[in-house]
Amino acid sequence: MPVDESLAESRRVLEICNACGYCNGFCDVFESAERRPTLNEADLVHLANLCHACRNCFHGCQYAPPHPFLVNVPRSLARTRYRSYLAHAWPAALSGLLARQALAAPLIALGAIALLVGLVLVLVPPEVLFASQAGAGAFYRILSWEAMVLLGGLPLGWSVLAIGLSLRQYWRLTRTEGAPLSTRAIGAALRDILVLRNLRGGGPGCNDLDDRFSHARRRLHHAMLHGFLLSFAATVTATLYHHLLGWEAPYPLLSAPVLLGTLGGILMSLGAVGLAWMKWRADPEPSAPETRGLDLAFLGLLFLVAVTGLALLVWRETAAMGLLLAIHLGSVLAFFLLLPYSKFVHAGYRAIALLIEAIEHAAVSRQ
Amino acid sequence: MTEPDVLVIGGGTAALCAAISARRLGASVLLAEQAPKGLRGGNTRHSRNLRIRHESLTPLSSGPYPEEEFWSDLWHATGGTSDPTLARILVQRSAEATDWLANAGVPLQPTSSGVLPPSRKTAFLLGGGTTMLNALYATAKRLGVEIRYGGEVRDPRIANGRLERLLYQDAGTARTLAPRAAVACCGGGQANRDWLRAHWGETADGFINRGTPFASGEILEALLRQGARAVGDPKRAYLVAVDARSPADDGGIVTRIRCMPEGIVVDANGRRFRDEGGDTASTRYAIWGQRLADCPGQIAYLILDARGRRAAPPSLYPPIAAETIERLAARLGIDPGSLAATLAGYNAATRAPDAGADEADWRTFDLDPPKSRQARPLIEPPFAAYPMRPGITFTYHGVAVDAQTRVRLRDGGVIENLFAAGMIMAPNLMGRGYLSGLALTIGVVFGRIAGEEAARHAGG
């Protein structure tokens, strides 16, 4: 479906929503659409990224198929959202990675792991690689700290730049003219992200699998997000230990980096498996089939990073450590490389959409 | 399909409340919904709020709505046509409706959501009627109610004050059912074109049915033929103005046209016929429906200029637009000279409000019919038009029931094992007029009573 067709369908559907308004208690999309009666491209892209795909507005719709109006808000907005990921990818030439994610993500992950395993096989003498290592600096006997920083830092730097440019372009398209950014709005947006208010369905939960209400998807997403943040915190504390205190990894089981990382890894793994299971079981009607690859590939990637990290922890004092370290670093490398060309980008666009809503809300309540 | 203690005919609010209530008292229940699953629920699918008595402030409304106020609203709106016994039951027991629904899993939208129109007298369903139906069907199923879609119940046989049997028919089966008790919750006949034509003549051809296409009136008609006592008047219907381009059935809430004060309304001859600024109460929707039914060809056009179009609420279809009024007339099939003359006469008669007066106080002078409010001149091109037809919502025609919702007979007495709830008996409470949220409340209150009474009858 070409871009303009997805936009035209989202516009057609949301015009019906604007004349109806019954769903305005479920999430922020419907009130926001009412404030944007012209529903131009920027409006539709904003609304599509504001939509958390909770599905209540599909199962509760008096105009959903088989009604001849064929209103399917979650599917229409999923298509427009997906198109916006492709349209804002930087550089544009790499947007194909997003479009062919089901192929690209496994290939890049395999390639990165193969690269790291190959590297340690070539560079590290077998008697070191396959010996059980213990004590401070054990990991660096396999791969030097400098090599790790280089392998992680370069792709991460690139990805941060690419995402930053995409977000800047997106912000310029969808921001509200004349509404000032305030700390209060930023606070409100952060709260919406952390509690996933728009995945509460106005209170009873969302139609995660079918027309029954549930809080499962919100909880699994919490596990995923907070697991990710804990793992990130583990990395930051480990860096501080290394630089400020001069303590070298691996750290003891009861140290902050290990505790944070373990909990984070477990939460991420549970979140990824749970969310993938929901995709498998959920009624496919209110979703867009072409976005499935993107969603599942990202869950797979997160699962790979989390599980290889946990495996490294469990077997770090055995002869398998060297290869496990290479495999884990390879998955992290693939994850870093794919950040701007994976479902990860939804985080930034969703955050901006929530920020725009918070800004508009602040402007309305001031009046 | 087993022979149930209680057969519930229909699948909307009243039917589900009856089925759940009967099942909770231990009766085996079969609910036969004529629509397929995807279109289940009758006109409840299109509903949004229910009118409830509440003596104190609740999270669901902006202030108290005491019994006597509800009673007096009902009395005035229906012109005193309510059966006083049933009306008292309705008003009193409406107070339990939201708790009962919440207990059956139905989510309600609190006023604290901040996105509802202010309403003291009605409570809003979160997501509307379709979401409520999903919850009620799930609850009914969980309790063990047998639910059948896509089959029709017909040919009820009544003898000696008893319902003896009925016929159930779907694609695969046709069988006779003889339940111990039955509850008719299958609404009126407003979707039945032959039935409408029989009562309205050719006028009915100009109607659009706003709601479910499954309101065939089959059971209602059969019961009346078998001696049930009628209430209301088949020639009276609740009509609102809808976009003439709407589908013949099921367009629901979004087809309404409701910004007459922003423009002028002309008939197929291009002539104004009513004061477009005169009605501001909530009854204005129904007033225009009836006026359209009286128009030649049951069609009229709301004419707006660019300013009026900006002021109009969002609509299902964009209005038909043209740069000049003559071209607009041509697109509508109206004589251009006639429409241009109407517009020129109207514009010449408009007067701005006095300085400092309300902006809405534009009015016409020496014009027949006048426009008494919001009579701004229509001068800013492009011009636009919404074609409008009467949209039928329900008819004021049903079966009479007693306080236990047993169907009454024409020559006295009741059918002891046949109960009725919802729109099929709503004319007992409103022979004319309407109050927003009343239909759902009637469905909940009398659906519950009918289900409980039917279960008691079946068990006793």
Side-chain angles (χ1 to χ4, degrees):
Chain A
M1 190 189 285
V3 179
D4 51 346
E5 240 178 76
S6 126
L7 287 178
E9 176 61 5
S10 288
R11 185 176 298 120
R12 181 190 78 85
V13 161
L14 287 173
E15 274 172 352
I16 294 174
C17 295
N18 274 349
C20 172
Y22 283 16
C23 292
N24 66 2
F26 285 144
C27 72
D28 289 349
V29 167
F30 299 96
E31 284 298 298
S32 184
E34 249 184 56
R35 293 195 299 273
R36 296 168 162 74
T38 50
L39 295 171
N40 62 31
E41 182 182 348
D43 296 333
L44 293 167
V45 168
H46 167 69
L47 294 167
N49 282 289
L50 181 60
C51 167
H52 289 47
C54 105
R55 300 149 168 257
N56 287 3
C57 66
F58 174 76
H59 289 288
C61 183
Q62 57 188 310
Y63 301 116
H67 191 282
F69 289 177
L70 300 173
V71 172
N72 189 335
V73 175
R75 173 176 283 181
S76 310
L77 292 185
R79 292 209 156 118
T80 299
R81 191 160 60 238
Y82 176 68
R83 295 286 161 183
S84 80
Y85 296 164
L86 300 190
H88 293 285
W90 186 91
L94 290 181
S95 69
L97 288 174
L98 277 156
R100 281 177 288 279
Q101 183 83 174
L103 188 65
L107 279 182
I108 289 177
L110 276 177
I113 291 171
L115 176 74
L116 263 288
V117 171
L119 218 56
V120 296
L121 283 177
V122 171
L123 297 179
V124 185
E127 62 273 21
V128 178
L129 183 58
F130 296 109
S132 53
Q133 305 277 350
F139 295 148
Y140 307 124
R141 276 169 242 148
I142 306 298
L143 205 61
S144 72
W145 188 82
E146 290 74 17
M148 284 195 202
V149 168
L150 203 67
L151 274 169
L154 277 182
L156 186 61
W158 165 267
S159 291
V160 167
L161 174 76
I163 289 176
L165 290 172
S166 295
L167 290 181
R168 189 175 70 152
Q169 199 187 34
Y170 176 87
W171 166 253
R172 287 182 172 172
L173 174 71
T174 62
R175 70 177 161 190
T176 317
E177 290 296 334
L181 185 62
S182 63
T183 47
R184 220 180 95 201
I186 293 173
L190 271 178
R191 197 165 54 244
D192 285 350
I193 293 165
L194 289 177
V195 306
L196 294 174
R197 181 173 54 81
N198 280 277
L199 272 184
R200 304 188 68 91
C206 298
N207 292 160
D208 291 332
L209 297 178
D210 50 34
D211 64 25
R212 289 167 304 172
F213 290 106
S214 122
H215 289 282
R217 188 156 156 260
R218 179 172 57 84
R219 291 185 180 134
L220 287 167
H221 193 288
H222 274 319
M224 179 60 87
L225 174 65
H226 294 130
F228 184 78
L229 293 176
L230 286 172
S231 304
F232 186 70
T235 313
V236 171
T237 32
T239 309
L240 293 178
Y241 278 15
H242 189 96
H243 282 280
L244 295 184
L245 305 173
W247 298 348
E248 287 204 339
Y251 300 108
L253 284 179
L254 289 177
S255 66
V258 172
L259 284 175
L260 291 170
T262 307
L263 187 58
I266 291 172
L267 284 175
M268 277 171 73
S269 313
L270 289 177
V273 170
L275 288 169
W277 178 84
M278 299 206 91
K279 291 232 172 288
W280 191 263
R281 288 295 312 279
D283 178 1
E285 262 309 285
S287 64
E290 65 267 38
T291 65
R292 223 177 146 76
L294 195 62
D295 295 345
L296 288 173
F298 187 53
L299 291 175
L301 211 52
L302 287 163
F303 183 73
L304 184 69
V305 170
V307 162
T308 55
L310 290 173
L312 179 60
L313 175 73
V314 171
W315 289 293
R316 66 181 183 177
E317 287 181 6
T318 71
M321 186 274 273
L323 280 183
L324 284 173
L325 178 68
I327 292 171
H328 179 58
L329 290 177
S331 357
V332 172
L333 172 62
F335 181 71
F336 283 172
L337 277 173
L338 276 166
L339 279 180
Y341 316 109
S342 71
K343 181 66 189 277
F344 180 78
V345 295
H346 85 284
Y349 299 138
R350 177 78 34 86
I352 290 180
L354 288 167
L355 181 61
I356 288 172
E357 286 302 302
I359 290 170
E360 288 184 10
H361 226 262
V364 169
S365 52
R366 256 201 311 277
Q367 275 162 14
Chain B
M1 188 158 72
T2 51
E3 187 78 66
D5 294 335
V6 175
L7 169 70
V8 176
I9 310 163
T13 304
L16 286 155
C17 292
I20 290 168
S21 300
R23 183 75 195 110
R24 280 181 180 162
L25 289 187
S28 66
V29 181
L30 169 66
L31 181 142
E33 159 63 310
Q34 200 183 339
K37 193 177 175 194
L39 293 171
R40 68 186 178 186
N43 283 345
T44 298
R45 283 180 47 232
H46 298 297
S47 64
R48 174 69 152 132
N49 53 352
L50 65 162
R51 184 165 290 251
I52 46 160
R53 165 174 83 83
H54 47 288
E55 306 292 337
S56 57
L57 188 64
T58 79
L60 299 174
S61 56
S62 59
Y65 189 40
E67 177 167 351
E68 284 319 308
E69 189 179 357
F70 190 163
W71 176 266
S72 125
D73 284 349
L74 182 65
W75 207 252
H76 284 114
T78 62
T81 54
S82 300
D83 173 315
T85 310
L86 293 172
R88 193 53 79 180
I89 294 173
L90 174 74
V91 170
Q92 282 180 350
R93 296 202 56 185
S94 70
E96 307 157 15
T98 48
D99 280 349
W100 191 89
L101 289 174
N103 185 253
V106 175
L108 292 137
Q109 190 170 349
T111 50
S112 63
S113 69
V115 295
L116 289 174
S119 176
R120 183 168 61 86
K121 302 176 179 180
T122 68
F124 281 71
L125 301 166
L126 182 66
T130 307
T131 297
M132 172 173 82
L133 287 165
N134 292 341
L136 292 178
Y137 272 100
T139 298
K141 200 173 159 191
R142 187 170 47 75
L143 292 172
V145 172
E146 184 181 351
I147 297 165
R148 286 273 171 150
Y149 297 108
E152 193 185 1
V153 177
R154 50 195 294 178
D155 298 339
R157 285 288 144 173
I158 290 150
N160 308 317
R162 273 190 63 80
L163 170 73
E164 297 195 319
R165 60 175 194 275
L166 319 94
L167 190 70
Y168 176 86
Q169 199 170 14
D170 64 20
T173 45
R175 57 167 290 185
T176 303
L177 289 176
R180 293 181 186 197
V183 189
C185 307
C186 40
Q190 68 274 8
N192 183 333
R193 291 281 159 184
D194 293 335
W195 189 86
L196 285 179
R197 219 167 281 129
H199 295 294
W200 289 75
E202 279 180 16
T203 303
D205 295 341
F207 288 2
I208 284 169
N209 172 32
R210 297 176 67 212
T212 175
F214 296 95
S216 65
E218 170 78 34
I219 289 287
L220 170 61
E221 213 173 358
L223 292 178
L224 295 177
R225 262 200 319 268
Q226 301 253 326
R229 185 193 296 184
V231 283
D233 178 353
K235 294 199 73 165
R236 212 177 281 144
Y238 184 70
L239 301 168
V240 303
V242 300
D243 196 305
R245 298 164 291 178
S246 307
D249 293 296
D250 227 11
I253 189 81
V254 299
T255 58
R256 269 192 316 184
I257 300 291
R258 48 192 166 144
C259 47
M260 287 56 156
E262 301 297 341
I264 58 171
V265 177
V266 301
D267 63 16
N269 301 315
R271 282 193 286 268
R272 289 179 62 246
F273 54 95
R274 287 286 179 166
D275 178 356
E276 299 89 346
D279 323 296
T280 49
S282 64
T283 50
R284 64 190 180 278
Y285 304 127
I287 289 173
W288 278 102
Q290 189 57 52
R291 287 172 185 169
L292 292 166
D294 297 335
C295 280
Q298 290 68 53
I299 194 158
Y301 303 87
L302 169 62
I303 309 291
L304 303 168
D305 69 350
R307 190 212 61 82
R309 194 174 162 185
R310 286 193 296 274
S315 58
L316 173 61
Y317 305 109
I320 297 162
E323 268 311 307
T324 66
I325 198 70
E326 288 82 2
R327 261 188 236 148
L328 182 66
R331 294 196 61 186
L332 300 175
I334 300 177
D335 173 48
S338 169
L339 182 58
T342 299
L343 187 71
Y346 165 78
N347 283 342
T350 58
R351 297 286 183 279
D354 298 330
D358 186 352
E359 243 313 283
D361 238 10
W362 282 86
R363 59 184 70 227
T364 56
F365 277 82
D366 200 19
L367 187 70
D368 184 40
K371 186 174 174 189
S372 54
R373 281 181 83 251
Q374 308 238 47
R376 295 180 186 83
L378 305 181
I379 43 181
E380 186 187 333
F383 295 93
Y386 285 109
M388 302 184 290
R389 285 193 177 281
I392 190 164
T393 313
F394 58 84
T395 59
Y396 295 95
H397 187 46
V399 292
V401 297
D402 69 1
Q404 295 166 45
T405 72
R406 288 180 299 191
V407 174
R408 294 163 71 174
L409 289 162
R410 206 158 36 227
D411 39 16
V414 294
I415 307 174
E416 60 177 37
N417 62 339
L418 178 63
F419 304 81
M423 295 311 284
I424 195 171
M425 53 68 80
N428 288 282
L429 294 141
M430 44 176 194
R432 66 169 74 103
Y434 189 62
L435 289 169
S436 67
L438 199 59
L440 271 191
T441 304
I442 292 173
V444 176
V445 169
F446 292 101
R448 289 179 59 200
I449 294 173
E452 285 167 7
E453 293 295 338
R456 271 189 211 113
H457 182 89

